[in-house]
Amino acid sequence: MKLLIINGPNLGNIGRREPEIYGHEDFEPFLESLRKEFPEHEIQYFQSHHEGEIVEKIHSAETEKYDGIILNAGAYSHSSYSIRDAVAAIKVPVVMVHISNVYARENFRHENVIAAKCKGVITGFGLKSYELAIRSLSFAG
Ligand code: DQA
């Protein structure tokens, strides 16, 4: 499958950002280990702090013929109707991931305005959440 991982704002410095919450592992080497673990999949990666860029990337997934998107929209998960509408506008299945267990954190993180338009949500398994999301896309349909 051709897969696209999209990381939203403040997810470019995983490994250094609040490591007690997000862990000590940098995302880039983790991404390499994911690619090795799933040689059968082409895994592309995009990170942006900007809502509009994330919206554009989600739209481009159809023309670029992706089979699935793994989306960690960061704090936009709790607020972005634009990203929600972008997910709703495409046929490519989207699995939302969170590194942390958002339900064990502040109340504002309990609301997710994008999740209802996704195939599913995986939250709280550290960077393993991305691996589980890739596995789930195999049966997401
Ligand atoms: C996050 C959870 C969000 O609440 C937060 O704003 C993030 C990261 C996670 O992966 O746990 O930036 O999406």
Side-chain angles (χ1 to χ4, degrees):
M1 290 196 288
K2 186 177 173 188
L3 303 177
L4 174 61
I5 295 176
I6 300 178
N7 272 347
N10 300 304
L11 290 164
N13 57 349
I14 287 302
R16 282 155 286 138
R17 171 191 176 193
E18 297 180 276
E20 64 288 359
I21 296 173
Y22 299 110
H24 292 272
E25 197 176 353
D26 286 0
F27 198 81
E28 299 290 340
F30 169 73
L31 183 60
E32 281 321 303
S33 70
L34 266 188
R35 287 179 173 138
K36 286 202 180 87
E37 189 178 347
F38 297 103
E40 69 276 30
H41 301 318
E42 177 189 333
I43 304 174
Q44 298 293 337
Y45 176 57
F46 177 78
Q47 192 275 324
S48 175
H49 301 303
H50 303 284
E51 189 175 26
E53 285 183 3
I54 295 168
V55 167
E56 281 173 4
K57 195 67 185 174
I58 290 169
H59 281 290
S60 78
E62 274 196 332
T63 44
E64 291 176 21
K65 301 207 182 322
Y66 279 98
D67 299 300
I69 297 177
I70 294 113
L71 172 66
N72 186 345
Y76 281 140
S77 312
H78 316 301
S79 64
S80 176
Y81 295 107
S82 305
I83 296 176
R84 174 195 170 102
D85 284 351
V87 171
I90 61 166
K91 293 205 167 54
V92 180
V94 178
V95 175
M96 168 154 283
V97 304
H98 293 294
I99 299 166
S100 63
N101 180 356
V102 287
Y103 300 105
R105 301 182 63 193
E106 302 96 320
N107 282 345
F108 75 88
R109 296 184 205 276
H110 300 178
E111 185 175 4
N112 187 321
V113 301
I114 303 170
K117 299 299 172 187
C118 296
K119 278 285 170 190
V121 181
I122 297 170
T123 184
F125 296 94
L127 292 181
K128 277 255 170 203
S129 296
Y130 293 85
E131 180 192 324
L132 295 169
I134 291 173
R135 292 191 192 285
S136 75
L137 275 164
S138 316
F139 49 82

